[in-house]
Amino acid sequence: MTATTLPETFARELSLGTGPVGGAVAGLLGAAVVSLILLTNAAVAGPWAKRKVLADIWGKKGPDRMGPFGVLIIVADVVRLLSKELIVPEGVDRPAYDVAPLLVTFSALFGFAVIPMGSGIQVADPATGVVFAFAAASLATLGMTMAGYASNNKFSLIGALRAVAQNIAYEIPLVVTAASVVLLAGTMRTSEIVAAQQGTLVSVAGVGLPSWYAFVNPFAFALFVVANLAEVGRNPFDTPEAPTEIVAGFQTEYSSVYFVLLYLGEFLHIFLGGGLIATLFLGGPAGPVLPGIVWFLIKMWAVFLFTQWARSAMPRLRIDQLISVGWKGLLVLSFVNLVLTALVLPFIV
């Protein structure tokens, strides 16, 4: 056996994608690919797609001057926002004020680390993938709380307190509903949950209905979709921002690149919610003919379009109504769903 030098060992591990060096580099490359996909989608969704969808619903024109269909509004918005002066108010808690936008944005990217996006795109596949995704997503609430507290603004603080109350009220129904999917799949590993939905539930006239958990348990699917609206702060659950009540809530005192990070984090979390819905209930990247990543993006964008419809069509709940719906409605129904799933499970396995 010939001895190898340390650089030769590193080079071999790097080329094979094995060992500490190769594994670390492969993980970084995977994270870069996933981040690029998500940031591109968020950049399209925020400045352009949101405006076009809402304009179509409201009978307005939307962006139609800059480039074909107004798509160059994306570039214009990026230049406009990043070129603005970063204004930091007096009396802010500077460390928390600076960290909050980063936490809101990167928590969504962390959550996507365990989401199988198809075509071999998945950064990590731990045995507790579902738990990791929810834990990462919930860090955004910490970021919103830090932003509201550190801004030295009463409207910002009210928005932060609303975000905490809303997260507590709706995170539990969201997790409990996801637990019913874990019961059906028998695992918390996201890749195995997707694999468990690959069969055919029923076939009629030669047309098969896939065994997605949205069809197996539509009640859980509906609960999860509603709770997800609250998690991503879309109508009727957008009380942490509530422009007609508290200016812009926790992000009132942010400008320039900090506002860009908060705005970007908002859409990344919408897509994370869509990714979780696709993974837990819609077969993940499964679909005919097209590559898996294309089907995953289609499902994720379908959830995004639903959130924009909800924003345009539903009035905002008062904060007391929102809390009542969460604690007295969704929480009870999510536990009912979990118990019924546990009772029915022995007869369908």
Side-chain angles (χ1 to χ4, degrees), residues 203-275:
S203 182
V204 179
V207 179
L209 187 68
S211 57
W212 297 350
Y213 291 136
F215 299 131
V216 175
N217 191 350
F219 181 50
F221 176 64
L223 288 176
F224 198 91
V225 168
V226 173
N228 179 67
L229 276 179
E231 281 297 297
V232 301
R234 279 292 175 259
N235 289 46
F237 308 110
D238 67 332
T239 55
E241 297 179 27
T244 57
E245 299 174 14
I246 51 175
V247 189
F250 62 91
Q251 59 188 1
T252 298
E253 297 292 353
Y254 283 91
S255 60
S256 188
V257 65
Y258 282 5
F259 177 78
V260 171
L261 287 172
L262 289 171
Y263 192 66
L264 186 65
E266 175 183 337
F267 286 92
L268 286 174
H269 276 278
I270 292 175
F271 283 127
L272 177 58

Side-chain angles (χ1 to χ4, degrees), residues 22-261:
V25 172
L28 289 174
L29 289 175
V33 170
V34 171
S35 298
L36 180 62
I37 293 173
L38 296 174
L39 292 174
T40 301
N41 279 272
V44 173
W48 182 75
K50 180 191 79 170
R51 290 171 175 165
K52 292 295 283 186
V53 171
L54 294 179
D56 287 341
I57 294 174
W58 289 334
K60 297 167 62 179
K61 284 185 177 295
D64 65 349
R65 293 292 187 271
M66 297 181 179
F69 305 103
V71 293
L72 291 184
I73 191 69
I74 300 170
V75 179
D77 263 8
V78 170
V79 173
R80 175 177 63 86
L81 289 170
L82 294 182
S83 61
K84 286 181 178 291
E85 180 183 0
L86 177 60
I87 300 174
V88 180
E90 293 183 359
V92 302
D93 186 339
R94 194 57 191 267
Y97 182 87
D98 293 335
V99 171
L102 294 172
L103 193 57
V104 171
T105 300
F106 284 100
S107 61
L109 295 177
F110 291 152
F112 265 103
V114 296
I115 301 294
M117 302 176 69
S119 305
I121 302 176
Q122 185 178 7
V123 178
D125 191 21
T128 55
V130 174
V131 175
F132 178 87
F134 283 114
S138 66
L139 290 175
T141 305
L142 178 59
M144 287 186 273
T145 306
M146 291 169 62
Y149 162 77
S151 292
N152 192 30
N153 180 299
K154 293 180 180 179
F155 291 115
S156 299
L157 181 59
I158 292 172
L161 295 175
R162 286 184 174 189
V164 173
Q166 182 167 318
N167 179 265
I168 294 174
Y170 287 88
E171 185 81 14
I172 299 174
L174 203 68
V175 173
V176 172
T177 305
S180 67
V181 173
V182 171
L183 282 180
L184 290 171
T187 179
M188 288 190 291
R189 194 183 298 271
T190 51
S191 62
E192 294 179 0
I193 291 175
V194 169
Q197 302 176 66
Q198 298 308 305
T200 300
L201 181 63
V202 64
S203 182
V204 179
V207 179
L209 187 68
S211 57
W212 297 350
Y213 291 136
F215 299 131
V216 175
N217 191 350
F219 181 50
F221 176 64
L223 288 176
F224 198 91
V225 168
V226 173
N228 179 67
L229 276 179
E231 281 297 297
V232 301
R234 279 292 175 259
N235 289 46
F237 308 110
D238 67 332
T239 55
E241 297 179 27
T244 57
E245 299 174 14
I246 51 175
V247 189
F250 62 91
Q251 59 188 1
T252 298
E253 297 292 353
Y254 283 91
S255 60
S256 188
V257 65
Y258 282 5
F259 177 78
V260 171
L261 287 172

Side-chain angles (χ1 to χ4, degrees), residues 116-119 194 198 278-279 282-287 290-296 299:
M117 302 176 69
S119 305
V194 169
Q198 298 308 305
T279 300
L282 301 177
L290 299 176
I293 180 63
V294 176
W295 276 112
F296 181 82
K299 295 170 185 178

